[in-house]
Amino acid sequence: MAIYIDGPEVQIRRIDHTQVELRIYNGETYAPLEPRRLFPLSGLTRYIALLDEELKEKAIIRDLEQLDPDSARAVSECLQDYYMIPKITAVYSAVEKFGTLTWTCNTNRGERSFRIRIDTATSNFSTTAEC
């Protein structure tokens, strides 16, 4: 069962790009844990799950702003790395071939190409994309 974290009763430190260590003041320590937003669009600082290696919730942070500043920064930095999405700044080409649309774009992370399958029966784009 997940532990709910409501304030500064824990210490969280970053141990990797997307992993943290959770230390509870009663002496328990959990690591490695990966922070994930339970509401990635509407709850950027609230209800952050800390998942173990089996992707099971070990803890849930109710509000990131209630943690001590160092712990909040550690979790925020991991989330920023995990949810990093390049922003397209220019489209160089979009070529359709054999039901696949290949885009070549410039992003804030450099030039990238990605493919989107086209559903030719309905002329709609598929939700499956590969980079």
Side-chain angles (χ1 to χ4, degrees), residues 8-93:
E9 70 270 9
V10 300
Q11 181 182 25
I12 301 172
R13 70 179 186 93
R14 192 173 185 186
I15 57 174
D16 194 7
H17 290 291
T18 59
Q19 295 180 332
V20 296
E21 174 188 80
L22 170 65
R23 182 168 296 171
I24 303 171
Y25 287 124
N26 68 7
E28 294 179 60
T29 300
Y30 301 97
L33 300 174
E34 293 191 15
R36 295 290 181 275
R37 291 183 177 115
L38 295 178
F39 302 99
L41 298 177
S42 62
L44 299 181
T45 63
R46 299 185 63 173
Y47 295 101
I48 311 293
L50 299 178
L51 306 177
D52 65 14
E53 292 176 301
E54 297 172 359
L55 300 179
K56 294 188 180 181
E57 292 176 349
K58 281 296 185 184
I60 297 174
I61 302 167
R62 290 187 202 259
D63 189 346
L64 204 55
E65 295 174 1
Q66 299 301 314
L67 297 178
D68 70 82
D70 291 336
S71 295
R73 185 173 27 264
V75 174
S76 293
E77 289 172 357
C78 284
L79 290 170
Q80 184 176 358
D81 283 353
Y82 181 77
Y83 288 103
M84 180 186 65
I85 300 172
K87 293 181 182 170
I88 295 174
T89 58
V91 176
Y92 298 133
S93 67

Side-chain angles (χ1 to χ4, degrees), residues 90-130:
V91 176
Y92 298 133
S93 67
V95 179
E96 189 272 330
K97 189 173 183 179
F98 305 117
T100 300
L101 187 59
T102 301
W103 296 75
T104 302
C105 305
N106 189 44
T107 73
N108 60 339
R109 303 295 238 177
E111 188 173 314
R112 300 285 187 257
S113 292
F114 60 95
R115 284 177 245 145
I116 301 174
R117 283 193 317 215
I118 300 171
D119 181 350
T120 55
T122 61
S123 298
N124 291 325
F125 292 111
S126 169
T127 57
T128 304
E130 62 180 76

